[in-house]
Amino acid sequence: MTDARAEFLAGERTEDVAFFLADEAVDDPDKLDGFGERVDGGHLLIVDGEAGRAAFQSATGTDAMGFAKEAMGTEGEIDLSLTGGACPDAEDDDVRFVFAFAEKQNEEVGGLYGEGDVIHAYAQCTCGTAYSHKWVVGERDE
């Protein structure tokens, strides 16, 4: 795991977004070499928020925040690595892409947000289902 991913998952990069793109989800995955971490089956990029949302849209053809809003309606499980998940509608669990951001602890809001920094992650399965998963930083084991 790169330092950037470890920092992101520790809630230390709340101005950035992270996204995983499966090789099958992009026209030429080799073009992503040098822009992020090469992982099994694709690339994981951690980029400044605005630039990251634009890069996500460019790579997937999907507006990041619109995708997040769509995915919020269905709960699933996204791997702590941000490179896979368990789709609630398919057995193959093949993820096309994941989009994630971290939000600082907010005790005024309460609930999960009062417990600590929160990772919001959204995935799209190869079956087309979009789903979400959020967790408090440090409360999950891989």
Side-chain angles (χ1 to χ4, degrees):
M1 178 183 315
T2 64
D3 289 344
R5 183 169 20 162
E7 291 168 356
F8 180 85
L9 292 171
E12 297 170 9
R13 298 183 68 154
T14 56
E15 299 300 318
D16 296 342
V17 297
F19 58 96
F20 166 75
L21 301 168
D23 288 336
E24 295 79 26
V26 294
D27 292 331
D28 186 359
D30 292 335
K31 286 184 177 180
L32 296 173
D33 289 343
F35 290 102
E37 178 183 354
R38 181 74 168 120
V39 294
D40 188 33
H43 287 80
L44 180 71
L45 295 88
I46 298 175
V47 184
D48 173 67
E50 279 304 312
R53 286 186 284 279
F56 177 83
Q57 182 168 351
S58 177
T60 64
T62 303
D63 171 67
M65 297 318 287
F67 169 63
K69 185 175 181 180
E70 172 192 353
M72 276 189 245
T74 305
E75 288 188 33
E77 185 173 326
I78 298 172
D79 297 346
L80 184 58
S81 67
L82 302 175
T83 62
C87 177
D89 292 339
E91 291 181 19
D92 62 14
D93 295 336
D94 290 335
V95 171
R96 290 188 64 234
F97 49 80
V98 173
F99 176 79
F101 62 90
E103 187 173 350
K104 285 287 186 194
Q105 181 175 2
N106 186 338
E107 293 179 8
E108 290 179 19
V109 173
L112 196 64
Y113 302 96
E115 297 175 24
D117 299 341
V118 176
I119 301 291
H120 296 257
Y122 309 95
Q124 184 178 68
C125 178
T126 55
C127 76
T129 297
Y131 57 96
S132 66
H133 188 179
K134 60 184 171 184
W135 61 89
V136 174
V137 168
E139 292 194 358
R140 288 185 64 193
D141 295 323
E142 187 59 39

